[in-house]
């Protein structure tokens, strides 16, 4: 069976899609281009209105393929599937499977049954009380064979006032730490060199029904100690939960990459309280200082929301101030978007869209200038780049490559003659020669390994 999969949203969705594609391939299904597929899978995101709307327009496009083959059908998974559920069956009759993130473990079998004509429609929308272990599947491509995501938990218990995730992904469910470590060990044994541990709030790992007394700091140490693992990352961290033991680990393990995504959302304590983030700016800055003390080369990235209900110009000014004070390497910033069922829907006064748009532009302008300064400081530095693929910029005698430095910055690498082989999945010693707007240029200085 030929299938096509489109993914929206966060890394957890990206990873879920990778797993689903591999699980289908191990059943003999084949991933194809859009014009050839018979089964269209959309793995969706509901965090803001825009990605939700994209799902409907994408389904409208897929409906066009019914003319080519009336047997074409679609499956909708992820956060919008959980939110709208069976409603998809009415609006788009060619949707024959909906599955939430807790239902994904059953999606490959469900798709097989539907494709075989054994079922007309199926909905996998129940939340599980604990993490439902998925079948393990071999990685399909070289890049994924060298870099892997490992889910350590599902869902979220925080109920930040603006956020739909606790409703779409359910309560927090930690995996058993032994299952996480065993998966990481198996990946490293199979050749994986870089692992990213995933969860909506990894720092509260184990603090739910699935917990067995292992904290995130302990889990992190167990994974970091795996021999043969070159790079370890984790995301996302919540500023209220990051423990001193986690910060300390950055000073103990060379493999733990010197970067952290630590969503701040706002620089104003009043807005943070209204958002129900349960930390103050003081607490946040304390964490930042401790991180920089432990690992001076630490690169910090973050998320911001502008135009949260009640945000004043003064509140926003505080956000600009802290952006400059911390010197975030980069950030994702968004206009607040009302989501169904979240607490902030009923909060007043709403910020006018044009005011929010103006704030977003000012914030992003400041970020761009900080990003440029951060990257500029790296010119001349020696580093290691993990090669992910060919660079878009070619033209020399030997191919140029694109990869990431330990902090996760994108580096385009020119190699000298004699290293023209496929470098995907290799680490290359590099000197940074030039900072671009959002990336770095470097030249290979030694033997890839
Ligand atoms: N679990 C992570 C990220 C969750 S969603 C965390 O706790 O930070 C990713 C980002 O989307 C959030 O950090 C937030 O900045 C943004 N976001 C979430 N809900 C939003 C909304 N209703 N409007 C605008 N941005 C939102
Ligand atoms: Fe959403 Fe807050 Fe949970 Fe992050 S911590 S997923 S922002 S509720
Ligand atoms: Fe989006 Fe769901 Fe991830 S709402 S950000 S796909 S958890």
């Amino acid at each position: 069976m030929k299938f096509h999969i489109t993914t929206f949203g966060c890394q957890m969705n990206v990873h879920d899609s990778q797993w689903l594609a591999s699980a289908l391939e191990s059943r003999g299904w084949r991933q194809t281009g859009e014009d050839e597929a018979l089964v269209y899978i959309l793995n969706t995101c509901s965090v803001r209105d825009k990605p939700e709307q994209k799902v409907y327009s994408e389904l409208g496009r897929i409906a066009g393929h019914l003319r080519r083959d009336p047997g074409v059908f679609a499956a909708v998974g992820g956060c919008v599937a959980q939110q709208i559920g069976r409603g998809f069956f009415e609006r788009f009759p060619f949707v024959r499977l909906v599955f939430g993130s807790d239902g994904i473990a059953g999606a490959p079998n469900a798709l097989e049954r539907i494709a075989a004509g054994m079922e007309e429609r199926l909905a996998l929308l129940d939340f599980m009380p604990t993490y439902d272990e998925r079948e393990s599947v071999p990685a399909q491509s070289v890049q994924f064979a060298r870099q892997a995501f490992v889910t350590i938990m599902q869902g979220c218990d925080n109920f930040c006032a603006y956020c739909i995730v606790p409703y779409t992904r359910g309560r927090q469910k930690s995996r058993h730490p032994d299952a996480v470590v065993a998966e990481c060990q198996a990946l490293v044994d199979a050749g994986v060199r870089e692992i990213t541990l995933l969860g909506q709030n990894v720092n509260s790992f184990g603090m739910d029904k699935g917990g067995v007394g292992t904290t995130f700091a302990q889990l992190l140490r167990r994974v970091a100690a795996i021999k043969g693992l070159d790079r370890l990352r984790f995301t996302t961290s919540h500023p209220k939960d990051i423990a001193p033991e986690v910060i300390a680990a950055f000073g103990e393990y060379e493999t733990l990459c010197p970067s952290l995504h630590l969503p701040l959302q706002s620089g104003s304590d009043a807005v943070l309280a209204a958002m129900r983030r349960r930390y103050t700016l003081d607490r946040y800055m304390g964490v930042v200082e401790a991180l920089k003390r432990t690992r001076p080369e630490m690169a910090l990235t973050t998320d911001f929301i502008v135009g949260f209900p009640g945000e004043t110009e003064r509140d926003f000014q505080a956000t600009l101030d802290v952006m400059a004070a911390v010197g975030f390497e980069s950030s994702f910033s968004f206009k607040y978007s009302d989501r169904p069922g979240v607490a902030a829907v009923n909060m007043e006064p709403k910020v006018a869209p044009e005011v929010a748009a103006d704030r977003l532009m000012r914030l992003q302008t400041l970020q761009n200038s900080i990003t440029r300064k951060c990257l500029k400081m790296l010119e001349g530095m020696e580093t290691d780049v993990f090669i992910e693929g060919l660079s878009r910029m070619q033209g020399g005698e030997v191919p140029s490559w694109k990869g990431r430095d330990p902090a996760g910055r994108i580096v385009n690498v020119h190699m000298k003659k004699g290293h023209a082989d496929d470098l995907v999945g290799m680490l290359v010693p590099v000197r940074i020669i030039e900072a671009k707007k959002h990336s770095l240029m470097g030249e290979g200085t030694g033997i890839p390994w």
Side-chain angles (χ1 to χ4, degrees):
M1 189 56 92
K2 296 176 194 170
F3 71 101
H4 182 80
I5 184 158
T6 307
T7 308
F8 304 96
C10 58
Q11 283 162 317
M12 308 197 69
N13 263 17
V14 172
H15 176 51
D16 286 350
S17 292
Q18 284 172 3
W19 174 83
L20 183 55
S22 301
L24 290 172
E25 278 166 349
S26 74
R27 284 165 171 74
W29 289 38
R30 196 159 62 83
Q31 239 182 126
T32 65
E34 241 197 281
D35 294 333
E36 243 189 283
L38 285 174
V39 183
Y40 291 85
I41 303 168
L42 297 184
N43 198 4
T44 64
C45 172
S46 191
V47 79
R48 284 169 292 279
D49 188 51
K50 232 195 225 159
E52 183 186 342
Q53 297 309 323
K54 270 199 212 148
V55 176
Y56 307 124
S57 59
E58 196 63 17
L59 282 170
R61 263 168 23 86
I62 292 169
H65 290 289
L66 285 163
R67 279 196 299 273
R68 171 173 51 89
D69 188 330
V72 158
F73 73 93
V76 184
C79 289
V80 183
Q82 192 72 54
Q83 181 196 341
I84 308 290
R86 288 182 174 78
F88 276 113
F89 296 154
E90 284 136 46
R91 251 185 98 179
F92 301 95
F94 59 93
V95 172
R96 294 174 63 187
L97 173 67
V98 289
F99 60 95
S101 54
D102 281 13
I104 193 173
N109 287 344
L111 281 165
E112 266 199 323
R113 292 177 67 84
I114 295 169
M118 292 156 79
E119 304 277 355
E120 182 59 25
R121 293 201 155 72
L122 283 170
L124 306 172
L125 299 167
D126 289 342
F127 285 125
M128 308 290 174
T130 52
Y131 186 86
D132 200 9
E133 283 294 328
R134 301 174 191 173
E135 66 193 60
S136 59
V137 288
Q140 302 289 333
S141 79
V142 188
Q143 190 194 330
F144 297 145
R146 295 303 191 142
Q147 290 176 301
F149 291 126
V150 174
T151 301
I152 68 166
M153 70 211 307
Q154 185 79 269
C156 180
D157 284 345
N158 284 314
F159 291 94
C160 300
Y162 49 80
C163 185
I164 199 168
V165 173
Y167 305 92
T168 58
R169 280 192 121 88
R171 291 298 72 68
Q172 179 179 309
K173 291 148 280 235
S174 296
R175 280 179 82 183
H176 196 289
D178 293 348
V180 173
V181 175
E183 184 176 341
C184 293
Q185 181 71 59
L187 287 166
V188 173
D189 291 345
V192 164
R193 310 181 70 175
E194 174 177 311
I195 286 178
T196 304
L197 303 176
L198 292 181
Q200 287 298 349
N201 181 10
V202 291
N203 288 280
S204 62
F205 175 82
M207 320 253 214
D208 56 80
K209 264 203 230 149
V212 291
T214 300
T215 64
F216 179 62
Q218 289 163 338
L219 178 73
L220 194 61
R221 285 177 162 77
R222 285 181 64 186
V223 178
I226 293 175
K227 291 216 166 48
L229 180 64
D230 292 304
R231 289 185 175 185
L232 176 59
R233 310 179 190 282
F234 58 88
T235 200
T236 305
S237 291
H238 197 302
K240 79 176 162 60
D241 292 317
I242 188 163
E245 295 80 10
V246 172
I247 298 174
F250 280 102
E252 294 162 26
Y253 295 92
E254 192 63 29
T255 44
L256 198 53
C257 291
S259 65
L260 189 70
H261 186 65
L262 194 62
L264 171 58
Q265 315 298 359
S266 168
S268 151
D269 279 343
V271 174
L272 287 174
M275 287 177 165
R276 304 189 182 158
R277 289 289 286 176
R278 287 179 284 161
Y279 54 82
T280 58
L281 186 59
D282 232 31
R283 151 84 188 164
Y284 190 93
M285 295 309 279
V287 171
V288 169
E289 264 163 46
L291 284 164
K292 291 200 163 162
R293 217 180 311 124
T294 312
R295 195 84 172 257
E297 75 272 34
M298 185 72 103
L300 290 168
T301 58
T302 197
D303 294 344
F304 290 108
I305 296 175
V306 300
F308 186 78
E311 184 189 68
T312 62
E313 175 59 28
R314 227 174 119 187
D315 292 322
F316 174 67
Q317 199 59 53
T319 300
L320 288 173
D321 291 347
V322 62
M323 179 183 256
V326 176
F328 293 107
E329 287 238 356
S330 67
S331 58
F332 295 107
S333 43
F334 316 96
K335 278 182 282 185
Y336 166 76
S337 164
D338 256 347
R339 305 308 292 134
V342 307
V345 168
N346 301 317
M347 293 183 180
E348 297 287 345
K350 296 282 192 244
V351 173
E354 57 280 11
V355 174
D358 174 65
R359 286 180 188 164
L360 187 66
M361 206 196 62
R362 286 154 66 200
L363 192 67
Q364 292 180 342
T365 306
L366 178 62
Q367 181 64 67
N368 285 340
S369 75
I370 296 171
T371 298
R372 214 162 298 153
K373 266 185 228 152
C374 291
L375 294 181
K376 193 91 193 147
M377 278 179 2
L378 297 166
E379 286 180 354
M381 302 269 242
E382 309 273 339
T383 186
D384 288 329
V385 175
F386 190 110
I387 303 296
E388 296 181 348
L390 281 169
S391 164
R392 269 187 300 152
M393 289 169 266
Q394 297 295 337
E397 279 179 60
V398 291
S400 295
W401 300 92
K402 187 178 125 174
R404 288 178 191 274
D405 75 357
R409 304 176 190 100
I410 293 174
V411 188
N412 286 292
V413 183
H414 297 297
M415 295 300 296
K416 293 197 190 80
K417 246 185 156 167
H419 294 298
D421 314 1
D422 189 357
L423 296 182
V424 174
M426 307 278 275
L427 280 153
V428 179
V430 164
R431 181 179 308 108
I432 303 300
I433 45 175
E434 194 189 343
K436 297 276 180 193
K437 218 169 152 191
H438 294 289
S439 63
L440 297 163
M441 305 275 290
E443 57 186 13
T445 56
I447 316 253
W449 49 287

